[in-house]
Amino acid sequence: MSAGPNEFDLIARYFTRPAPPGFLGVGDDCALLKHAPGYELATSTDLLIEGRHFFSDIDPKALGHKALAVNISDLAAMGAQPLACLLSLSLPDVDENWLRAFADGFYELAERTQCPLLGGDTTRSVAGVVINVTVLGQVKSGQALLRSGAKVGDDIWVSGTLGAADIALRLLQGRLPANNDLLKTIRHVLEWPEPPWAFAQSLVGVAHAALDISDGLMQDLGHILKASACGAELDYTALPLHPALQGLDAQLLQEAALAGGDVYQLCFTASPDQSARIQDLADQAQCRVARIGQIVAEPGLRVRGAGGALIELPAAGFDHFS
Ligand code: ADP
Ligand code: MG
């Protein structure tokens, strides 16, 4: 960063929007923030690497949005309220148009979710863009929605729709025959995820267990089953497939819905007597929810199609080292 702006210029230009009253934001050695007594701090971090998590030519504004969204999704999965975030960026070179758009996408979501950017780090990378976001949130002590809370007899719910991010990714990677009309309709699901952060907070004290299904419904629900020592039966016909996917090959749809990743939505379990309340909370938050199955004692996951026949499950979701 010799001739152009230096590290401090970049921070000052793009990552120094004022922190809300009561917070100490960018500019000192640490950020300072308050959190309410009787609450636990919830924190999570995610790494996004060019060529692995995003295409080099991705719209930088979408990337700024998604870098924060995938972290807000982790807070949502615990029922936590966003408090603040930190952003570390490693860039191979300085492209100010890129940085401006990235910062706009990031701040737009940060403002909307009341999750102010309070600090970070900016360095030069050897190759490619690397982005690390850390979020801080709060949840009433002892009330966080854990993976281990599911109970036999619970309903299993998902928010949002399934399948679109996976199909969009396959289209962009050329793993499916080109279909520009479909890609146009569903691309935003992959690039502009909207985790249900407000709805998620309303599930505290209502749901028994929750997680986000960023690695695919089957694999992530598997984490709840393992942590809660139980099994699940899903009704495939109840899965909320994205409406634009109608007409795609049935096998492909099954794989996308059950194993497709990049879904920044919730899977949660709750007692059946909470179902009307959950539907109300979802309506209030303008969030789509679907009841897709039950928690059962017998371990393992079974998915039944129309008529109750068992569906052969696709290979599990994403794993960086498999
Ligand atoms: P340090 O020497 O402690 O690493 P820096 O000089 O790297 O501090 O950062 C100066 C200030 O700018 C700090 O408050 C830091 O949190 C903030 N900062 C650096 N990079 C970013 C970024 N990408 N986004 C937000 N804040 C940043
Ligand atoms: Mg630094």
Side-chain angles (χ1 to χ4, degrees):
M1 297 187 190
S2 42
N6 69 27
E7 176 189 331
F8 303 104
D9 297 332
L10 293 179
I11 296 167
R13 269 178 216 172
Y14 301 111
F15 299 109
T16 318
R17 298 194 198 176
F23 293 75
L24 181 67
V26 172
D28 216 312
D29 294 299
C30 285
L32 298 174
L33 62 152
K34 293 188 184 9
H35 68 104
Y39 284 73
E40 287 173 292
L41 210 49
T43 181
S44 180
T45 192
D46 260 310
L47 196 55
L48 294 169
I49 295 175
E50 180 177 342
R52 174 144 317 271
H53 299 96
F54 58 91
F55 299 108
S56 303
D57 63 355
I58 188 178
D59 169 8
K61 191 169 177 187
L63 184 61
H65 169 93
K66 188 164 177 175
L68 180 57
V70 302
N71 283 277
I72 294 286
S73 179
D74 285 318
L75 290 180
M78 303 295 282
Q81 174 195 356
L83 278 180
C85 61
L86 304 169
L87 165 66
S88 292
L89 267 181
S90 196
L91 306 167
D93 47 44
V94 173
D95 174 345
E96 292 205 61
N97 289 327
W98 190 97
L99 268 175
R100 188 175 302 114
F102 178 89
D104 282 346
F106 192 99
Y107 274 108
E108 188 278 327
L109 184 63
E111 278 155 26
R112 200 147 48 80
T113 54
Q114 296 179 304
C115 188
L117 176 61
L118 294 188
D121 202 15
T122 306
T123 67
R124 187 159 204 159
S125 75
V126 176
V129 174
V130 180
I131 305 162
N132 174 237
V133 176
T134 299
V135 279
L136 299 152
Q138 66 179 12
V139 60
K140 280 209 184 96
S141 292
Q143 301 271 295
L145 303 174
L146 307 182
R147 297 176 174 190
S148 54
K151 295 183 172 55
V152 172
D154 275 1
D155 287 329
I156 301 170
W157 297 76
V158 288
S159 66
T161 65
L162 298 171
D166 185 59
I167 297 295
L169 183 64
R170 290 181 197 230
L171 286 168
L172 287 167
Q173 288 175 331
R175 290 191 288 131
L176 284 177
N179 184 338
N180 284 331
D181 287 344
L182 177 59
L183 183 57
K184 241 192 199 155
T185 320
I186 60 176
R187 188 172 183 154
H188 72 279
V189 181
L190 178 69
E191 294 185 344
W192 293 89
E194 282 291 336
W197 48 276
F199 172 62
Q201 291 166 52
S202 72
L203 289 177
V204 169
V206 177
H208 286 154
L211 44 48
D212 69 342
I213 46 177
S214 52
D215 291 329
L217 174 62
M218 249 175 50
Q219 177 165 307
D220 283 321
L221 176 56
H223 295 315
I224 287 187
L225 303 184
K226 190 165 177 218
S228 302
C230 55
E233 296 233 356
L234 298 186
D235 171 6
Y236 184 75
T237 64
L239 294 193
L241 294 179
H242 190 287
L245 305 182
Q246 264 176 21
L248 290 185
D249 173 69
Q251 190 64 39
L252 174 65
L253 265 180
Q254 258 179 39
E255 274 177 38
L258 291 170
D262 251 329
V263 186
Y264 298 97
Q265 293 291 339
L266 302 177
C267 174
F268 58 96
T269 83
S271 163
D273 61 23
Q274 295 292 329
S275 68
R277 177 140 176 235
I278 288 168
Q279 193 60 60
D280 275 354
L281 293 169
D283 291 346
Q284 279 165 37
Q286 293 185 313
C287 174
R288 182 175 170 162
V289 285
R291 207 152 29 130
I292 62 166
Q294 273 80 43
I295 296 290
V296 297
E298 188 188 338
L301 172 65
R302 286 160 298 281
V303 183
R304 295 185 188 277
L310 279 180
I311 287 180
E312 197 179 321
L313 296 181
F318 191 72
D319 174 348
H320 276 280
F321 294 101
S322 70

